[in-house]
């Protein structure tokens, strides 16, 4: 190689060292997750909105006998591996979601809820994942995590 070619290669290498981390960060793998916060309680029999009737049935099959289900929030968030995504809960705390990996169309997330153990959940083709998220006004907050849509 000629001397100018070495200079060009050295310059490209130096630029790669400087820009490398930001380029890698820009290509960080992320996944969209629908996050619904539901208040499940035994105060009344309200199921609001009516789509939560499926959740009520699923809970009854598992012997969780809540009679009332009320949606507190519904958002779609983007979850990445570099920095946890915060989800505000009505009890004044935040749940954190972090992407651990993707494999065969399934996302593995770490879910961290204050005063509870962190758990790893797999979002794939099985439908929604329910995660207890703490107490609130005489009931339990439940995070409903829906897998990324294709």
């Amino acid at each position: 190689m000629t001397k100018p070619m070495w200079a060009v290669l050295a310059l490209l290498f130096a630029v790669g060292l400087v820009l490398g981390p930001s380029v890698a960060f820009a290509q960080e793998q992320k996944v969209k997750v629908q996050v619904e916060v539901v208040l499940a309680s035994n105060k009344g029999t309200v199921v609001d909105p009516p789509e939560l009737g499926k959740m009520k049935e699923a809970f009854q099959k598992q012997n969780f006998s809540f009679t009332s289900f009320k949606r507190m929030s519904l958002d779609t968030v983007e979850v990445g591996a570099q920095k946890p995504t915060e989800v505000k809960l009505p009890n004044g705390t935040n749940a954190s979601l972090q992407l651990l990996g993707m494999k065969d169309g399934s996302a593995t997330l770490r879910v961290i809820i204050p005063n509870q153990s962190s758990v790893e959940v797999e979002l794939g083709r099985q439908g929604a994942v329910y995660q207890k998220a703490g107490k609130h006004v005489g009931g339990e907050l439940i995070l409903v995590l829906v897998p990324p849509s294709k």
Side-chain angles (χ1 to χ4, degrees):
M1 277 190 210
T2 62
K3 194 169 190 174
M5 183 58 106
W6 279 107
V8 169
L9 288 175
L11 179 62
L12 289 174
F13 180 73
V15 168
L17 288 177
V18 173
L19 295 179
S22 58
V23 169
F25 182 74
Q27 295 175 349
E28 176 190 2
Q29 195 171 29
K30 292 187 176 187
V31 65
K32 288 186 188 251
V33 178
Q34 181 178 301
V35 180
E36 184 174 21
V37 180
V38 175
L39 177 63
S41 73
N42 288 315
K43 293 182 177 182
T45 58
V46 174
V47 177
D48 179 32
E51 302 92 71
L52 292 178
K54 291 178 184 177
M55 183 178 179
K56 182 177 181 178
E57 289 172 15
F59 274 50
Q60 287 173 338
K61 287 178 185 173
Q62 299 291 323
N63 292 322
F64 295 117
S65 60
F66 294 113
T67 58
S68 175
F69 291 79
K70 182 177 182 191
R71 178 184 292 156
M72 306 299 285
S73 66
L74 177 64
D75 292 303
T76 299
V77 297
E78 198 168 58
V79 180
Q82 297 292 329
K83 181 181 172 192
T85 300
E86 300 287 321
V87 176
K88 290 188 183 294
L89 300 174
N91 63 2
T93 62
N94 289 338
S96 297
L97 307 175
Q98 190 166 16
L99 180 64
L100 297 178
M102 291 285 295
K103 185 176 180 183
D104 300 327
S106 294
T108 302
L109 302 180
R110 175 174 292 128
V111 180
I112 302 169
I113 298 169
N115 302 317
Q116 296 186 38
S117 312
S118 69
V119 296
E120 291 180 11
V121 299
E122 188 174 325
L123 297 179
R125 298 174 191 92
Q126 79 278 8
V129 171
Y130 302 120
Q131 179 61 46
K132 182 179 166 185
K135 297 195 177 300
H136 183 62
V137 295
E140 290 285 342
L141 292 174
I142 310 291
L143 277 182
V144 182
L145 305 173
V146 178
S149 56
K150 301 287 184 220

